[in-house]
Amino acid sequence: MTSKRLLRNDYILVLLVSVMYFLAIKDVIAAFVYLVVAVVVSIYFFPARLLFLENDFLREPNKKKVALALSYFVISNIITLTALIIYADGKGFLHTTFLIYSIINLAFLLYFHFQENMRYNFILSIFTTFLSSAVVSLQY
């Protein structure tokens, strides 16, 4: 499998994080294991992914560059916040921030589908919405 093909299918990592979150909530796996995996996946999606896409990313128009970078930043923060919410006791700042990022991710989902027609980012946003809904439904 080539690196280009791996980069096109890495949205499965978000689905894996979703399953691991559910298992961590149900105490099947340790919350610390989920924390480590979530932080590594989060680091992959924001700074590392942009480095892997260097040539493809630079060829895009500025409007698309900003949307892609912000989308990866939001997805990275959603994954990190899920790891932090496991350790949070009450509904507070983390939950509110998580909900705001989830709404922003939903806006990116609509943007990528209707404006840019970017299949990969649309699927990535769908899987991130799946993770967000799992967190919201299990926490509230």
Side-chain angles (χ1 to χ4, degrees):
M1 191 178 280
T2 65
S3 63
K4 283 275 194 192
R5 187 174 172 134
L6 279 174
L7 285 175
R8 282 193 310 235
N9 295 326
D10 63 357
Y11 47 77
I12 295 173
L13 289 173
V14 179
L15 197 57
L16 175 71
V17 168
S18 300
V19 171
M20 286 188 70
Y21 178 80
F22 179 74
L23 294 175
I25 289 293
K26 297 300 180 185
D27 293 326
V28 175
I29 62 172
F32 181 75
V33 172
Y34 176 75
L35 175 72
V36 170
V37 170
V39 168
V40 168
V41 171
S42 173
I43 289 171
Y44 168 75
F45 272 110
F46 183 58
R49 178 119 173 88
L50 292 178
L51 293 175
F52 292 143
L53 291 176
E54 182 178 347
N55 292 334
D56 295 335
F57 187 71
L58 292 176
R59 281 188 251 143
E60 300 291 339
N62 285 339
K63 180 181 173 185
K64 206 180 266 191
K65 283 182 197 176
V66 171
L68 286 173
L70 283 176
S71 172
Y72 293 143
F73 179 73
V74 167
I75 289 169
S76 175
N77 284 337
I78 286 174
I79 294 170
T80 303
L81 285 172
T82 61
L84 295 176
I85 285 175
I86 288 179
Y87 291 106
D89 289 334
K91 297 177 186 174
F93 177 73
L94 289 177
H95 293 282
T96 305
T97 306
F98 182 79
L99 289 174
I100 291 170
Y101 276 126
S102 298
I103 291 169
I104 293 170
N105 180 56
L106 188 60
F108 276 121
L109 181 135
L110 297 173
Y111 173 75
F112 288 134
H113 181 67
F114 292 114
Q115 292 291 327
E116 297 294 334
N117 197 15
M118 299 174 74
R119 181 179 173 265
Y120 168 80
N121 295 92
F122 177 70
I123 293 171
L124 183 62
S125 294
I126 285 175
F127 284 163
T128 307
T129 303
F130 181 73
L131 173 64
S132 300
S133 64
V135 172
V136 169
S137 67
L138 290 174
Q139 292 294 320
Y140 293 102

